[in-house]
Amino acid sequence: MSSQIIRSRIVPLTDEKRINVFIVDDSLFSRSRSKSVELLARVFDHVKHRYDRGFRMLTLGWSDGNTFLPLAFSLLSSEKESNRLCGMNDSIDKRTNGYRLRKEAIHKSTDVLLDLLKSARAYMVPASYLLFDSWFAFPAVIRKIREQKLHTICMLKSMPKVYYDYQGQKLNLNKLYANIRKKRGRAKILASVTVGIGQLEGGEQVSAKIVFVRDRRTKKKWLALLTTDTELPDEEVVRIYGKRWSIEVFFKMSKSYLKLAKEFQGRSYDSMVASTAIVFIRYIMLSLESRNGEDLRTIGQLFYICCDELKDISLTEALQKLLTLLERFLGERLQLAEQEIRRLIDYLIGNLPSFFKERLAICCCES
């Protein structure tokens, strides 16, 4: 449903050069008071920084910078059996889609991420980049995404055992920042460098650009963004990554206003998946309605008729209207005499470039 809305309703509203992106992130699907829910597990809550009962709701979405639409999701239990509080229902037929979803729930999150991405691209959803936070920013994951012919833009986390190839050396993120030249002054973008992050299965070397940005929250720290599109300017890397915030808004809206994981309490894994899908569909309807209310192009041919009318107004006519409004304002609001108003108008015209004086000469004489 999302792919049809994107291709038939959203894409025609934007220019072909506009950058559309995939966004992936996870959020806690809380079942803190449950005890007998199928595949219930102890999962880590990144917000509260502690373990809680529930699932990790891994979500893949699409955005053009204005509209966000969820594409696919998976309620992940835990890869470790020791963290699972309840097991799988043994009566489920292994040939059904429900069994496939249950098996997917106990897989590694990075593997599920790649499966969601493949399913979205199979529906021909247009996107140039995949955006995600530092929780998935590992070179092995980035290489697998590159194998799907898709570029990545992600936030990096300083990890001592994750290395990048730079000038024949393997350096972690902190050492890499210390070895490169930074810009002087109070520049927002401190530095950028091209590094290697390993090889694809065919032996092709994967290069990536790391952009170091000043952290506004602290004076001495920095943030690092990575992209596999090494030709992308540094400012564009930062701008495009800013679109990732729309998935955070989506999580907030789904939980606070659409009552995700609150309006329905069931013990079956299928019922939780169905309830989540219904909430996502309601969000898609609201998102599409919001776009129709904000984007003037959704009013059809009338938009282009209005544009044509606006284009017919010449520069000379626009300047004449401005001077007429100024003259009316000075006379009605400031109550200036006609001679004073004429003196102000002549002074304004006299200080304009000759290009405008020639076009306003006739207008001034007539008025």
Side-chain angles (χ1 to χ4, degrees), residues 21-150:
V21 296
F22 289 125
I23 308 172
V24 67
D25 201 359
D26 63 341
S27 183
L28 176 65
F29 188 95
S30 179
R31 296 300 298 266
S32 57
R33 297 185 180 182
S34 301
K35 296 181 179 179
S36 303
V37 175
E38 188 178 5
L39 291 177
L40 184 68
R42 295 174 64 250
V43 295
F44 187 75
D45 187 358
H46 301 307
V47 178
K48 299 179 181 178
H49 299 285
R50 63 180 178 84
Y51 280 90
D52 200 354
R53 293 185 178 188
F55 301 86
R56 289 178 61 193
M57 186 177 66
L58 184 65
T59 306
L60 176 68
W62 177 92
S63 176
D64 65 345
N66 290 315
T67 301
F68 176 86
L69 295 176
L71 298 176
F73 71 94
S74 181
L75 295 180
L76 300 180
S77 177
S78 179
E79 183 187 6
K80 298 180 181 179
E81 189 174 357
S82 58
N83 287 336
R84 295 181 218 149
L85 303 178
C86 299
M88 187 189 306
N89 188 353
D90 297 331
S91 62
I92 300 297
D93 192 340
K94 295 183 178 180
R95 297 170 296 179
T96 61
N97 187 57
Y99 181 79
R100 183 189 66 80
L101 293 176
R102 287 168 170 82
K103 294 294 291 184
E104 183 181 73
I106 59 178
H107 284 173
K108 195 174 180 180
S109 59
T110 52
D111 295 336
V112 179
L113 183 156
L114 296 173
D115 292 338
L116 295 179
L117 188 60
K118 289 180 181 178
S119 63
R121 303 201 72 188
Y123 282 93
M124 305 298 293
V125 179
S128 304
Y129 299 92
L130 174 64
L131 312 182
F132 51 85
D133 205 356
S134 58
W135 301 108
F136 304 98
F138 296 95
V141 178
I142 297 172
R143 290 196 301 268
K144 291 181 180 179
I145 296 172
R146 192 70 192 98
E147 289 177 355
Q148 297 192 24
K149 308 300 181 182
L150 187 66

Side-chain angles (χ1 to χ4, degrees), residues 1 11 20 34 129 151 162 177 215 254 282 284 294 300 335 337 340:
M1 184 178 67
V11 171
N20 303 318
S34 301
Y129 299 92
H151 285 295
V162 176
Y177 180 76
D215 190 353
S254 298
R282 285 155 56 191
I284 292 172
E294 294 178 359
Q335 297 181 353
E340 295 180 354

Side-chain angles (χ1 to χ4, degrees), residues 121-364:
R121 303 201 72 188
Y123 282 93
M124 305 298 293
V125 179
S128 304
Y129 299 92
L130 174 64
L131 312 182
F132 51 85
D133 205 356
S134 58
W135 301 108
F136 304 98
F138 296 95
V141 178
I142 297 172
R143 290 196 301 268
K144 291 181 180 179
I145 296 172
R146 192 70 192 98
E147 289 177 355
Q148 297 192 24
K149 308 300 181 182
L150 187 66
H151 285 295
T152 298
I153 299 179
C154 62
M155 181 73 72
L156 293 179
K157 182 169 56 176
S158 180
M159 292 177 284
K161 295 185 179 180
V162 176
Y163 300 98
Y164 305 93
D165 298 329
Y166 177 67
Q167 294 183 350
Q169 297 179 328
K170 289 187 176 295
L171 305 175
N172 59 29
L173 196 60
N174 285 332
K175 292 184 178 179
L176 179 64
Y177 180 76
N179 280 270
I180 62 176
R181 185 178 180 181
K182 272 75 73 176
K183 295 181 181 179
R184 297 181 179 180
R186 299 291 299 173
K188 296 180 180 180
I189 298 178
L190 300 174
S192 64
V193 61
T194 302
V195 299
I197 57 173
Q199 296 181 349
L200 301 179
E201 293 183 355
E204 181 183 354
Q205 181 71 26
V206 180
S207 298
K209 177 194 284 188
I210 298 180
V211 180
F212 293 94
V213 184
R214 189 182 303 278
D215 190 353
R216 295 183 300 177
R217 298 169 297 180
T218 57
K219 295 182 179 180
K220 297 182 180 180
K221 292 187 178 181
W222 42 264
L223 300 173
L225 298 176
L226 180 144
T227 177
T228 52
D229 187 0
T230 57
E231 301 297 327
L232 195 65
D234 298 346
E235 292 78 8
E236 279 293 290
V237 175
V238 178
R239 186 188 68 83
I240 296 173
Y241 184 77
K243 298 182 180 183
R244 197 200 69 85
W245 183 250
S246 58
I247 197 171
E248 302 289 353
V249 177
F250 163 73
F251 288 145
K252 176 65 176 179
M253 291 291 295
S254 298
K255 293 181 179 181
S256 299
Y257 297 97
L258 301 182
K259 306 299 181 182
L260 177 67
K262 296 178 182 178
E263 66 177 2
F264 176 81
Q265 298 288 330
R267 296 182 179 181
S268 169
Y269 185 80
D270 289 331
S271 64
M272 290 184 295
V273 171
S275 174
T276 305
I278 292 174
V279 171
F280 282 19
I281 291 173
R282 285 155 56 191
Y283 184 89
I284 292 172
M285 295 169 61
L286 293 174
S287 182
L288 183 60
E289 182 64 24
S290 176
R291 182 61 178 260
N292 290 336
E294 294 178 359
D295 198 328
L296 296 178
R297 291 174 177 82
T298 56
I299 62 178
Q301 186 65 22
L302 179 61
F303 171 81
Y304 298 99
I305 295 175
C306 293
C307 288
D308 292 340
E309 291 295 329
L310 291 175
K311 289 180 180 178
D312 289 340
I313 299 176
S314 64
L315 177 62
T316 303
E317 294 173 345
L319 291 174
Q320 290 175 358
K321 289 186 177 182
L322 288 175
L323 291 176
T324 302
L325 290 175
L326 177 60
E327 186 176 356
R328 186 184 305 171
F329 174 81
L330 294 175
E332 296 178 358
R333 297 297 179 88
L334 300 183
Q335 297 181 353
L336 297 180
E338 184 176 355
Q339 294 180 353
E340 295 180 354
I341 295 175
R342 176 54 48 200
R343 191 181 300 112
L344 290 174
I345 297 295
D346 292 340
Y347 177 79
L348 175 63
I349 297 177
N351 286 274
L352 291 175
S354 58
F355 174 80
F356 296 105
K357 290 181 182 179
E358 295 175 357
R359 285 157 178 76
L360 291 173
I362 299 176
C363 171
C364 295

